[in-house]
Amino acid sequence: MSVLPFDDRDGVIWYNGKLVHWRDAKVHLLSHSLHYGNAVFEGARVYNGKVFKLAEHSRRLVKSAKMLAYDLPYSVEELDAATKLVVAENKLDSGYVRPLAWRGAEVIGVSAKGTKVHVMIAAFPWGAYYEQKAIKLVTSKWKRPSPESSPAGSKAAGLYIICTLAKDEALAAGVQDALMHDYKGRLSEATGANLFLVLDGELHTPTTETILNGITRQTVMELARKRGIKVVEREIWPDELAKASEVFLTGSAVEVQPVGAIDGREYPVGPITQQMIADYHALVRS
Ligand SMILES: Cc1ncc(COP(=O)(O)O)c(C=O)c1O
């Protein structure tokens, strides 16, 4: 299936406070973030014309930038309004929203002092993240860095270097995604989603030390607790994968995604995964 290139589409993009035609939404080649990786971004889904957990995503964008030592020139409320506007202007009933903030071309050099902060929000149709009902993962050689080596809680562009490498290596190996360990060798997350294991009827998920604390992760933990399922956040080591009866990923893009195999070890799409899929599906459309 061919996908329309992202720089050659109809529609409008919200760009520094204005709606601009999609094909005119450009940046200069000497933009600081293009060279130094300090852009921050978000990804949210639109259901029935409404962005799920919009304010949470806008707040995280502001927080991600703050962790990279810059302030956005827009408040959370302004970002929410801009997102709603761009979704409506593009007549998007279901799809994806991609806000991005970056440092401009006023200054080039390691220091970002003197750069301006720019913000854009794009909205476009987007279907399922994976084609498979249950995906296969391989463990990546890339490790999530320690919080002393990177601002782990920030959705910063530079942190996705290893995610892109890991994902493309997984695709080249004929599976859908990669599972990453962290700098200590503990389970962390996939390249764009958080990890859950079902162990003795309980949901276990890694702590937030080296991962993005997903908005979907938090939502699913809440949904599970409402069902009376015990949720445990803790250090999880790779050998525990042998004891898991079910495994799934969560994320705005992947939603609740069953994992059918990790490094060749197979998992069924079990009852807790199915319950979480159903509960999340109902909630995002409510
Ligand atoms: C590395 C990574 N972890 C986790 C997530 C899940 O986060 P959320 O549920 O907020 O989309 C994402 C998706 O944005 C991600 O890119």
Side-chain angles (χ1 to χ4, degrees):
M1 195 185 70
S2 72
V3 180
L4 280 177
F6 276 91
D7 58 355
D8 189 13
R9 291 181 171 215
D10 296 329
V12 289
I13 290 180
W14 188 92
Y15 192 165
N16 286 341
K18 294 194 192 99
L19 292 171
V20 301
H21 289 298
W22 196 285
R23 293 178 184 81
D24 299 333
K26 297 185 177 168
V27 291
H28 197 273
L29 297 177
L30 288 172
S31 294
H32 195 277
S33 292
L34 188 59
H35 299 245
Y36 298 102
N38 51 28
V40 293
F41 65 102
E42 270 306 314
R45 273 200 188 263
V46 180
Y47 300 93
N48 302 328
K50 245 183 88 191
V51 181
F52 181 62
K53 302 239 163 163
L54 173 57
E56 285 85 341
H57 284 281
S58 300
R59 272 200 289 276
R60 190 169 65 186
L61 188 71
V62 169
K63 183 182 143 211
S64 291
K66 262 202 195 316
M67 291 179 78
L68 270 57
Y70 59 97
D71 288 319
L72 299 194
Y74 305 100
S75 66
V76 168
E77 293 71 29
E78 286 168 327
L79 293 168
D80 286 354
T83 308
K84 286 180 189 162
L85 178 68
V86 83
V87 166
E89 288 290 323
N90 287 294
K91 301 186 176 43
L92 195 67
D93 186 50
S94 114
Y96 193 68
V97 174
R98 168 52 57 87
L100 177 84
W102 69 99
R103 292 184 183 268
E106 296 76 18
V107 177
I108 204 82
V110 173
S111 168
K113 208 161 175 264
T115 55
K116 279 194 189 142
V117 176
H118 302 264
V119 181
M120 77 90 193
I121 305 170
F124 46 89
W126 201 23
Y129 192 81
Y130 302 105
E131 286 165 17
Q132 295 75 7
K133 181 167 189 269
I135 56 160
K136 293 181 177 162
L137 305 178
V138 284
T139 300
S140 173
K141 65 174 188 265
W142 298 101
K143 307 270 192 269
R144 302 288 303 175
S146 110
E148 290 175 344
S149 310
S150 77
S154 170
K155 199 165 163 64
L159 288 178
Y160 282 82
I161 294 170
I162 57 170
C163 298
T164 299
L165 287 168
K167 172 94 183 180
D168 284 343
E169 284 163 8
L171 293 177
V175 301
Q176 286 74 46
D177 216 322
L179 173 63
M180 303 175 87
H181 294 175
D182 71 9
Y183 69 107
K184 284 188 175 171
R186 302 169 296 192
L187 299 179
S188 64
E189 60 182 343
T191 63
N194 294 122
L195 176 73
F196 284 87
L197 271 55
V198 178
L199 291 162
D200 295 325
E202 300 172 355
L203 267 189
H204 290 239
T205 194
T207 63
T208 56
E209 188 190 347
T210 64
I211 64 167
L212 187 74
N213 183 9
I215 291 164
T216 321
R217 173 185 184 274
Q218 297 167 56
T219 306
V220 165
M221 292 197 298
E222 221 176 279
L223 289 172
R225 286 185 178 122
K226 269 195 197 146
R227 288 270 170 203
I229 299 166
K230 190 172 171 203
V231 181
V232 186
E233 291 180 80
R234 63 173 178 87
E235 289 193 324
I236 309 178
W237 297 88
D239 61 356
E240 299 186 56
L241 286 172
K243 294 179 230 144
S245 57
E246 305 173 33
V247 179
F248 63 85
L249 303 180
T250 63
S252 301
V254 311
E255 303 177 291
V256 179
Q257 172 63 47
V259 173
I262 303 176
D263 299 330
R265 174 180 283 117
E266 296 190 354
Y267 300 96
V269 184
I272 293 188
T273 305
Q274 286 178 31
Q275 186 70 65
M276 290 302 105
I277 291 172
D279 287 358
Y280 188 72
H281 185 277
L283 178 68
V284 295
R285 288 168 180 81
S286 63

